[in-house]
Amino acid sequence: MTTSPNAPMTSPTRRDITAETGLPYVPPGTIPAPASAYDGLPRDTAVAGDRGWDRDSELSQMSKAVIATVFGLALLIAAFAVIGRLGGWAADYGTILVYLAFFLWMSIAGRVFWWGADTLIAEIRKKSNTGDCR
């Protein structure tokens, strides 16, 4: 059987689906979502076997900022370490591709570094304004 490329596409009917799977047809959105075992419990209630989010295990904003600053700085150092090879790579792989990739690398590295640095500075200022420097 051949069909025209302009022929409308049809989807299987309910009869076709039930014949193939042996399951009754249930329209989408008619079955309610299953109830969670934790419905009705306060958010901070620990349940045996609960592997949910632990508020105490979350990194502080200061820790995230230090990690981002160090990681961004490492990315920037790596970029500056290979800057002399860009000309050779551009000759081998294409100027646009190499310099676009380098620009993207530097943009991401700079953004990660400055987010971390700005967050660190803000945290330090906040602590120095409250007199909570320890």
Side-chain angles (χ1 to χ4, degrees):
M1 178 175 126
T2 59
T3 59
S4 165
N6 296 331
M9 304 231 2
T10 59
S11 61
T13 62
R14 279 190 275 177
R15 188 171 9 133
D16 295 337
I17 292 173
T18 57
E20 292 172 5
T21 62
L23 299 173
Y25 176 75
V26 179
T30 57
I31 297 177
S36 170
Y38 305 114
D39 283 349
L41 293 176
R43 290 180 64 107
D44 294 336
T45 302
V47 179
D50 181 18
R51 304 221 187 271
W53 175 62
D54 181 16
R55 181 173 290 153
D56 295 331
S57 69
E58 173 115 5
L59 289 175
S60 69
Q61 190 72 4
M62 183 75 92
S63 298
K64 291 177 188 177
V66 169
I67 292 168
T69 303
V70 170
F71 184 67
L73 189 59
L75 291 174
L76 288 171
I77 290 170
F80 286 120
V82 300
I83 202 164
R85 298 182 186 173
L86 287 179
W89 291 342
D92 291 343
Y93 302 109
T95 305
I96 293 174
L97 179 66
V98 169
Y99 287 108
L100 183 64
F102 185 74
F103 174 77
L104 182 64
W105 181 277
M106 291 295 288
S107 298
I108 292 170
R111 183 65 187 130
V112 169
F113 173 77
W114 281 117
W115 177 85
D118 286 342
T119 305
L120 275 176
I121 291 168
E123 289 289 322
I124 291 170
R125 283 184 181 165
K126 185 172 30 170
K127 286 186 179 182
S128 69
N129 287 343
T130 60
D132 192 24
C133 287
R134 289 185 206 175

